[in-house]
Amino acid sequence: MSVMLTKFESKSNRVKGLAFHPTQPLLAAALHNGSVQLWNYRMGVLVDRFEEHEGPVRGVAIHPSRALLVTGGDDYKIKVWDIRPQNRRCLFTLHGHLDYVRTVQFHHEMPWILSTSDDQTIRIWNSTSRNCIAILTGHSHYVMSAQFHPKDDLIVSASMDQTVRVWDISGLRKNTPNQGGPGGNPGNGPGNFETFDNFSTVKYVLEGHDRGVNFAVFHPTLPLIISAADDRQIKIWRMSETKAWEVDSCRGHFNNVSSALFHPKHELIVSCGEDKTVRVWDLAKRTAIQTFRREHDRFWVLAAHPQLNLFAAGHDSGLIVFKLERERPAFAVHQDSLYYIRDKYVRAYDFNSGSDIGLLSVRKFGSPYVPPRTLSYNPAERAVLSTISSDGGIFELSTLPQGQQGDVKDSSADGKKGTGQSAIFVARNRFAVLNKATQLIEVRDLSNSVVKTIKPPVQTNEIFYGGTASLILSSTTTVVLYDIQQQKTIAEVNSPPVKYVVWNSDSSLVALMSKHTITIANRTFSQHSLIHETIRIKSGAWDDAGVFIYSTLNHIKYCLNQGDHGVICTLDNPVYLTRVKGKTVHCLDRSARPRTITFDPTEYRFKLALLRNNYEEMLYIIKTSTLLGQSIIGYLQQKGFPEIALHFVQDTNTRFELAIECGNLDVAMEMAKTIDRPECWERLAQQALKQGNHKIVEKAYQQTKNFDKLSFLYLATGSTDKLSKMQKIADARGDPMSRFHNALYAGDVHGRIAVLRDVGLHPLAYLTAKTNGLDDLALEILQAAGLTEADIDDVPTFGASSLKPPPVVTPTTDLNWPAVAGPENFWDRALASGALEGGVESPYANGDAGGVAASSALDAWAKEEEEIPDDLDPEEGGWELDADGGDFQSAADEEEAVPEDEELGAGASPGVSEVEHWTRNSPLAADHVAAGAFESAMQLLNRQLGIVNFNVLKPIFISIYRSSHTYLSPVASLPPLHLHVRRDITESAPSRVLPVAARTLQSVRSELAEGYRFVSGNKLAEAQQSFRSVLQSLLLVVLSSDDEAKLWRDTVTAAREYLLGVTIELERRRVAEQEPDNVARNLELAAYFTHCQLQPPHMQIALRSAIGVYAKANNQAHAARFAKRLLELKPDPKIVAQARQRIAAGDRNPRNAVEVAYDEFTPFEICGVTFTPIYRGSPAVHCPYTDASYHPQFKGSLDPLTQLTEIGATASGMPAPWSDGR
Amino acid sequence: MDSSELYHVKQQFILGAYKTLVDLSLPDPNSPDHTPTLLYQARAHIALNNPKAAIALLPDGSSNVAVKAAASLARYVAATDAASKDSQLEDLRDLAVEIEGEDADGSEKDRALVRVLAGTAFARAGEVEEALETLGGATEDLEAVSVIVQIYLSINRPDLARKEFDRAKKWAEDDLLLQLIESTIGLVSGKDGYSNCNSFYTEQIGNPSLSSPHLLTARGVTRILRNEFPEAKSDLEESMEQQKGDAETLAAYVVASGLAAPKKPEVDELWNRLVSEHPEHPLVVDVASKAQLFDECAAKFEVPPTAAARA
């Protein structure tokens, strides 16, 4: 074991007890001065202190699943604490021990607390009932420690009486059926010792130590016990069902051994003692592997994290948290494969398929306790090059077995080894090895012979691949790009020691990672940017879009090329990123297992798009995800895009500020109205004045009652009526100065005089009147003042004044000109077009990526932790993904409003009416009709179904329109409110509302049924009318599904066939009546009628009619044919009899008296105009709506059947609005 | 605080029980309730489109600005020619200006009412801006808010209506009128499937202290909007029984019947009845204009000759 990595250290009073939190980076330390500390060892901060014990605290434990802490001290007390951040307090105290409490422990599943004391007893307490439920007696000296077995009902205890005892407590579990209930143990007072002995018995007494034993513990899985004693030995004991015996001792500590633990994952023992050392032992060989010495401090206690490779040791002046080996798995990524080493096996993991197979054992490579440090993969030769730090640093080159299914081979078989601290492939058949001691880089070929030796230009600690024929050399202060061929430095960048290097997919960018910095550089290092992190940087990978994603101890973050970075998600435990694909991060965890984390790339994609001015992408992101929050607003503002930030802001004050900043007066105005504070209006007025929008200035002045400025503004804009209004207002306010001003501005001499008179300034009034030639008035003033002309002889005479306001040349009142043109930007257009709606809710949220571990419980902690680092990104938690997308819409709506300003309180211009939304939202003619947009409805029908004759549709149009609107007067005497009946009452977003379906397929089909009844009732004229009406109604039916669309088409076809059939029959009757000689035509039409697709009952009518007509004309053969067809329809027995007679007659006399154009054996359509057959293969044109067939010469005429369409016109067909494509 | 009688009168007015209100006998002329009740009665007359009765009711030469405004509104509604309409509007404008002064006549309430009445008249005249201006942007008078909200709704600005309502919510507590305003907004915006409007009207129909066919009509309309056509028809039928010849109810009934059974001939009968009885109703006017639009649009399509066999 060559590494022991200290992760955290604290200085304090002597530490006597330690306990790790099972899921959070917390460590409880019991101090000799009576305090209990709770440390966050990852952040290095003291989270809390518990100081209620008097005297030293020796025992401490954290509950495995609940937020509880138990402590035991020299005050004989055991205290249980709630450690949740919001309510940290002592929950209760257990009294009973009669001397110092040494250790305490929670049971892993029962509500039990185990304690040991110098009173020579071990006690078990029920933490629910808070009673002592068992007292284990037997030790004859202080009991130094006791531990539950991790699975079985056993306890192991260590005592100063030199024994280790194993206790069977299965009786306790059996005898506490009501465990948890306060009344579970009736009569068990603390003094009632005898009763407990039933529950627990000493199973084994382990004798062997010849001094007091300080600590003993079970192996997590094997039937082993280790004990640490003052005889400087660690003993290993084995147990069977019946006995227990000493296996071996570990000797090496040269003073009392305080504690010894099994390594939770490896076959190792860790121990510490008063000889100021922590030692690591091989469990199998019982040999010391490593010793870690401390100068002055004796070690008192040791704790192991239940899951992680973490240990803590308490000593005289504090504690240390350490791990025993590097946990960063060695890995290399090539295309879609990850090659990595887990448990000394080289494995291949496929990112796509997730297959994960072992390929090569490296067990015999270096120390068995040390995992390989790096791995380099050579795809051409399918070779791997790994390094290990044991044995002074060695490398091994071996080839992977060919074929995925091959047996796992051992690298020692053909592996080529050598000394070197860092080794990487630099070409297909070359690799470079760094020897740190000699400072030489050797380039070797695949047979491991040196082909070149390089003396690096700087003190090099590590080498990385630097692109073709180049190396990246990492020194303590710089990183060097070095050309192997020319043996010279290409570039050098200052950086702390670089530990990892990651190239992006096209090798144009490289990320150089050191402990706290990331340098992003291009391939020649000519451009680079630096990111600093206070938290340790662990790993990184490039995203497909060229964003570098990296992991720190507790976050996954992104950084953009120019150096912006932010948090993507929080991590419970560090991971090593291997690959980023879309929303998925592939990584290896600390036990080298491949994992994936899904995250939301929206934020950085948005920022990236912003950097690249890719507005379409930004818009797309806004549309498809909910992108809101302070962070993005702050970011946009900081980056100089206030106008874009405006689209994200909800808060009115911020919105106002931003709007002022980017000169968006409309928004500013809107917000000022909401805020309605004088200072806002003043700022708005200033900004509007700058931009020359005097209407807004006016509005702002009005709001602040800034009459003087308002008057002046009116003067400046030449608004004389407003000035006179101001005069009235001034009158009302009784403010003579304002009246005078306004009168002056308005050029109202009388007004001025009136003011002067009102305030008693008669002389001025007189002079004003006089100089303006108002002698009568002047005289009146004189008289009012009780003077005559004579009295004012001494007043000099002034010439008539021509002073008056200049005439209005261009009335700018109604013009906002000249205005500073606001920059018309992409956003305004995109947003104003109403394209933005509340986007799709993101299905993922930023959060704890490792949601597996009781993450909810960790949330509170996680938050706290995140607040500690000072570089905490503002983005953290800022992505309020839950924000209501609907607000976008309203913002967009406001954009749409034409910012034409009105007077005083009337800041409203008409919005988009509901009917306009209807037409915008639907491609269906029916909806346009309901909206009253008849023109577009007609165009749609014309385009979709070739309708040209609309006059017949007028009643339907009008009735649909009429049915879609209603009125109500909620307020007396106001015109009623126009209300709109919607199709889906749950839908209220303007971008999706649609009118009520006034005509439904159902209602039309009932109309069709009515037509059928007319046919059955032989009311053919009515039937014809009815089918036409059906076809008209079908044009304006709203469909909601594919099934309905199919039904619609079927209905159209059925109506067409009936319409055609009925029309043919009507024609036949006309012929029969008007041209009785034209027997052939009569017969033909009767035959054609039977070729319309009618329902069986109607087909029977057609056939029977045809049989009658043909029989009468003595075309017996034909009549028999019809009769046969009739039989196929299985009619009434009576009809069957008739049909059979007819067939018999036909058989007797198989002749046709009249020659007719009727060939029933060749399929044909019937022309809707001439009612003559169009045999298959003959040219035909069709009705674009019903698809009825016609002879080609009728192309361009009005369809006589429906009287709606132009025969042969092209049409696009009904659109499918239910497949809501937006 | 209003007396309970006055409160009741106000409630009837707000909920559209104009008929009941008109038939009420006025309190003693010396009572402080006299003038407010008189005003509500007069306004009920106007709302029933019977401005003559309102004019008769309102004393001539009253110095109360609100009475003057009500009279002006009545005359405005009664007026048939543009000139006299304009003169009444001018009167109201003068009144609106008059009350702006600091020493203007009338109590704060009267002045607020003047604004409401003037705003109503302006809105009727289509002077939206002027109406909003008169009513003021920061009013704390709920009646004014109700008018403002309806004006906003009529110009398709439910967003502004909602804002106005939200603003009012802060000071108006849970006034009945405020609830009405909310449900009015709901009718237009259609949030939550009109459930709020529906429950508001249902609740008020159940209000024992008054009965107003107007509420039935309102619920009928709400039910139309909720696509519950048979239910809507039954509400509207009941309402029609209580107030014969109400144009609004009949118009809504036409719509409900049309949607319940589009092809029934009685729908057209109802429609013809509406057209002949209430030719002024906006639905009638609107449909008439759409019919004309139809003819214009249809004329743009050239109809080819009908295909004929012997052509």
Side-chain angles (χ1 to χ4, degrees), chain A residues 670-671 674 676 703 725 728 732-733 890 893-894 897 900-914 931-935 938-939 942 947-959 961-989 993 996-1000 1003 1007 1029 1033 1067 1070 1075 1081 1169-1170 1190 1194 1196-1200 1203 1205-1207, chain B residues 13-14 18 43 46-48 73 77 94 97 100-103 119-121 123-124 128-130 132-133 136-138 143 146-148 150-160 163 180 184 187-194 201 214 217-218 221-222 224-229 248 251-252 254-255 258-259 262-263 267-268 271 281-284 286-287 290-295 297-311:
Chain A
E670 195 69 37
M671 290 306 113
T674 321
D676 200 18
Q703 287 297 323
K725 225 178 230 175
K728 270 189 206 164
R733 292 195 301 132
S890 68
D893 278 355
E894 281 156 27
E900 190 187 330
D901 192 40
E902 291 94 357
E903 299 169 18
L904 293 166
S909 50
V912 180
S913 74
E914 174 105 7
F934 291 168
E935 182 156 19
M938 290 177 187
Q939 281 163 357
N942 179 262
I947 310 298
V948 287
N949 182 14
F950 287 97
N951 293 320
V952 291
L953 295 174
K954 187 168 176 180
I956 301 183
F957 269 50
I958 294 295
S959 99
Y961 179 74
R962 208 170 64 198
S963 294
S964 311
H965 303 269
T966 180
Y967 289 84
L968 185 70
S969 310
V971 177
S973 304
L974 277 183
L977 206 52
H978 191 174
L979 299 170
H980 310 272
V981 191
R982 290 178 183 163
R983 187 181 305 162
D984 180 1
I985 61 159
T986 57
E987 185 58 75
S988 62
V993 290
V996 66
R999 287 285 194 280
T1000 59
S1003 69
E1007 236 183 288
S1029 156
S1033 296
E1067 170 71 5
R1070 191 194 63 80
E1075 308 168 36
R1081 179 70 177 153
V1169 180
T1170 56
Y1190 299 91
F1194 298 113
S1197 318
L1198 186 69
D1199 178 341
Q1203 296 170 355
T1205 55
E1206 181 186 324
I1207 294 168
Chain B
F13 180 75
I14 289 171
Y18 306 128
R43 292 169 68 196
I46 303 172
L48 288 169
L73 176 64
V77 175
D94 290 347
V97 171
E100 287 309 322
E102 268 158 23
D103 51 351
T120 308
R124 273 185 87 109
V128 169
E129 285 178 27
E130 194 175 8
L132 290 172
E133 181 188 350
E143 281 212 52
S146 70
V147 177
I148 292 172
Q150 187 167 339
I151 291 173
Y152 279 148
L153 292 177
S154 69
I155 58 169
N156 301 311
R157 293 304 299 268
D159 53 329
L160 296 180
K163 263 187 200 157
L180 179 79
T184 308
L187 286 176
V188 172
S189 67
K191 270 243 155 66
D192 308 324
Y194 307 99
Y201 288 120
H214 175 77
T217 307
V221 168
T222 312
I224 293 176
L225 295 178
R226 284 164 68 86
N227 290 2
E228 299 168 349
F229 307 123
E248 199 152 287
V254 171
V255 174
L259 286 167
K263 280 302 271 192
V267 181
D268 285 327
W271 173 247
H281 191 274
L283 183 61
V284 179
D286 191 22
V287 167
K290 287 297 175 197
Q292 203 181 345
L293 172 71
F294 182 93
D295 293 338
C297 297
K300 291 184 187 162
F301 290 88
E302 198 182 319
V303 183
T306 309
R310 289 167 193 83

Side-chain angles (χ1 to χ4, degrees), chain B residues 233-270:
Chain B
K233 274 176 81 175
S234 107
D235 270 351
L236 294 168
E237 275 161 16
E238 198 181 333
S239 173
M240 278 200 290
E241 266 172 40
Q242 291 182 23
Q243 46 169 4
K244 301 231 180 331
D246 183 63
E248 199 152 287
T249 316
L250 183 59
Y253 192 62
V254 171
V255 174
S257 315
L259 286 167
K263 280 302 271 192
K264 291 278 165 57
E266 54 261 35
V267 181
D268 285 327
E269 280 167 30
L270 283 167

Side-chain angles (χ1 to χ4, degrees), chain A residues 769-1006:
Chain A
K770 199 78 180 159
T771 49
N772 284 285
L774 300 166
D775 290 340
D776 297 350
L777 195 57
L779 205 59
E780 196 183 302
I781 297 164
L782 265 186
Q783 279 164 1
L787 296 172
T788 59
E789 293 258 18
D791 293 325
I792 49 160
D793 273 350
D794 50 339
V795 177
T797 36
F798 298 98
S801 163
S802 60
L803 207 63
K804 59 173 183 184
V808 176
V809 180
T810 310
T812 44
T813 323
D814 300 319
L815 301 168
N816 258 334
W817 183 88
V820 176
E824 224 243 316
N825 75 36
F826 176 82
W827 292 89
D828 294 334
R829 286 198 306 278
L831 294 164
S833 71
L836 273 190
E837 295 151 23
V840 186
E841 201 75 32
S842 309
Y844 36 75
N846 282 342
D848 291 23
V852 238
S855 60
S856 61
L858 294 177
D859 281 351
W861 291 96
K863 274 200 194 96
E864 198 159 282
E865 282 165 33
E866 283 156 22
E867 277 159 21
I868 293 159
D870 55 0
D871 73 329
L872 182 78
D873 299 284
E875 286 83 353
E876 184 68 9
W879 289 79
E880 293 149 6
L881 291 177
D882 58 340
D884 181 12
D887 291 352
F888 265 124
Q889 187 57 47
S890 68
D893 278 355
E894 281 156 27
E895 298 290 323
E896 282 171 357
V898 189
E900 190 187 330
D901 192 40
E902 291 94 357
E903 299 169 18
L904 293 166
S909 50
V912 180
S913 74
E914 174 105 7
V915 294
E916 220 165 301
H917 284 300
W918 286 355
T919 49
R920 282 187 200 178
N921 296 345
S922 174
L924 280 186
D927 294 336
H928 285 242
V929 170
F934 291 168
E935 182 156 19
S936 58
M938 290 177 187
Q939 281 163 357
L940 285 171
L941 285 176
N942 179 262
R943 213 161 49 229
Q944 291 165 359
L945 297 169
I947 310 298
V948 287
N949 182 14
F950 287 97
N951 293 320
V952 291
L953 295 174
K954 187 168 176 180
I956 301 183
F957 269 50
I958 294 295
S959 99
I960 290 181
Y961 179 74
R962 208 170 64 198
S963 294
S964 311
H965 303 269
T966 180
Y967 289 84
L968 185 70
S969 310
V971 177
S973 304
L974 277 183
L977 206 52
H978 191 174
L979 299 170
H980 310 272
V981 191
R982 290 178 183 163
R983 187 181 305 162
D984 180 1
I985 61 159
T986 57
E987 185 58 75
S988 62
S991 57
R992 282 191 286 267
V993 290
L994 289 171
V996 66
R999 287 285 194 280
T1000 59
L1001 193 52
Q1002 220 49 47
S1003 69
V1004 178
R1005 283 184 69 82
S1006 69

Side-chain angles (χ1 to χ4, degrees), chain A residues 144-183:
Chain A
M144 300 302 287
S145 86
Q147 300 286 316
F148 284 115
H149 191 281
K151 290 185 192 67
D152 303 334
D153 285 332
L154 295 174
I155 290 171
V156 63
S157 63
S159 167
M160 275 296 126
D161 67 3
Q162 304 182 9
T163 64
V164 171
R165 290 173 192 240
V166 177
W167 310 75
D168 183 348
I169 53 161
S170 48
L172 189 65
R173 193 193 284 266
K174 283 181 199 127
N175 283 285
T176 50
N178 298 329
Q179 45 93 8

Side-chain angles (χ1 to χ4, degrees), chain A residues 3-71:
Chain A
V3 261
M4 171 156 166
L5 304 158
T6 304
K7 306 306 271 185
F8 170 69
E9 241 179 297
S10 85
K11 290 246 179 289
S12 68
N13 202 275
R14 181 182 303 168
V15 176
K16 299 292 285 184
L18 284 170
F20 275 104
H21 192 282
T23 52
Q24 294 162 11
L26 294 175
L27 176 71
L31 269 52
H32 200 264
N33 65 0
S35 179
V36 178
Q37 297 178 329
L38 193 61
W39 287 95
N40 182 321
Y41 51 84
R42 190 176 289 167
M43 294 299 158
V45 288
L46 182 60
V47 175
D48 222 332
R49 257 195 215 102
F50 305 91
E51 324 221 12
E52 282 179 34
H53 278 292
E54 293 165 36
V57 191
R58 295 173 192 278
V60 64
I62 296 179
H63 196 281
S65 55
R66 299 173 57 199
L68 293 176
L69 177 78
V70 61
T71 56

Side-chain angles (χ1 to χ4, degrees), chain A residues 404-473:
Chain A
Q404 300 281 298
Q405 306 305 324
D407 290 336
V408 174
K409 73 171 202 178
D410 197 291
S411 66
S412 57
D414 63 348
K416 297 177 178 63
K417 294 195 175 91
T419 304
Q421 285 69 44
S422 191
I424 47 154
F425 283 109
V426 290
R428 190 183 66 82
N429 53 3
R430 291 285 185 278
F431 62 96
V433 179
L434 168 71
N435 191 321
K436 255 159 88 173
T438 58
Q439 278 297 307
L440 283 177
I441 298 168
E442 293 166 340
V443 180
R444 295 168 181 250
D445 64 14
L446 293 179
S447 62
N448 204 15
S449 35
V450 179
V451 295
K452 191 175 218 163
T453 305
I454 300 166
K455 179 81 186 153
V458 289
Q459 175 75 29
T460 305
N461 295 321
E462 190 140 18
I463 56 172
F464 305 97
Y465 180 61
T468 310
S470 300
L471 282 175
I472 291 172
L473 315 176

